[in-house]
Amino acid sequence: MIKTIPGTTLQYSEKVKTEAFSLISPILSATGGLTLSQLSKLTGLGGSTIQNWIKRGWVVNIPGKKYYEVQVIRILLINMLRGTMQLENIAVLMNYINGKVEDTSDDIIPDIDLYNIFCTIICELDEKKIFESEPIRATIKEVIKHNDNYVKEQEEILENTLFIMTLAYQSSLIKAQLEAEYERLDIKKYKL
């Protein structure tokens, strides 16, 4: 069961199912952008990790000392996938769907819509306890058809990217469960 808004440390809400970023937007509006320490608290990431992602060009460089919607969304997306995907592969996947990070004219879908759709897919699959490929793909198609804010000629790329993202996210949940169960074992005396 989902406990936090995907990619954040914020408590899960039913509103995540359709408009996940709408729960984060008021924070950005109220603060006029997030400082590095606020973004770290929101995501659970270290400040040096966030700065490294910007330095590598995976997130749009920030003007000044505040992080705005465009940076926050990309950081959330990367954060959601990093549990099981290599960071370089996440960067390639983000470029595959939305081209260069600084140029939104080549995007198949705005990052905010990608984040909201991805969260909707995750929530629907979580409720139904679905982990098989075909039902995942069917859920992705169903969720996408309720969003018009993407390049229709690139729908297959969007679907395939969301499928990979979903598998990565679900895998990270299973990995976290595995690690928690391992830690519960009384096996300290068996460690090498």
Side-chain angles (χ1 to χ4, degrees), residues 4 19 21 24 43-44 62 65 78 81 111 113 124 176 184:
T4 61
E19 295 293 325
F21 199 74
I24 299 165
T43 61
I62 63 164
K65 296 185 182 248
I78 295 170
L81 301 174
D111 279 354
D113 290 309
E124 288 195 17
R184 286 181 24 162

Side-chain angles (χ1 to χ4, degrees), residues 99-184:
K100 294 185 178 171
V101 72
E102 313 84 27
D103 181 8
T104 59
S105 69
D106 59 359
D107 290 3
I108 291 174
I109 184 169
D111 279 354
I112 191 166
D113 290 309
L114 179 62
Y115 179 76
N116 284 331
I117 286 172
F118 188 32
C119 288
T120 301
I121 291 165
I122 288 167
C123 292
E124 288 195 17
L125 294 174
D126 184 65
E127 284 177 1
K128 299 172 186 171
K129 305 295 182 222
I130 295 174
F131 291 94
E132 296 86 28
S133 292
E134 290 312 310
I136 291 171
R137 287 189 182 278
T139 301
I140 290 168
K141 285 180 181 293
E142 183 65 27
V143 171
I144 287 175
K145 83 177 187 184
H146 296 292
N147 185 297
D148 292 329
N149 203 13
Y150 66 93
V151 178
K152 302 295 185 219
E153 297 77 24
Q154 304 292 332
E155 188 168 333
E156 186 176 348
I157 290 173
L158 177 59
E159 288 176 6
N160 289 333
T161 301
L162 283 165
F163 181 67
I164 290 168
M165 291 170 69
T166 302
L167 292 178
Y169 187 80
Q170 286 183 323
S171 296
S172 68
L173 295 177
I174 292 169
K175 181 181 175 196
Q177 182 181 1
L178 174 146
E179 290 169 352
E181 290 299 321
Y182 179 82
E183 288 300 315
R184 286 181 24 162

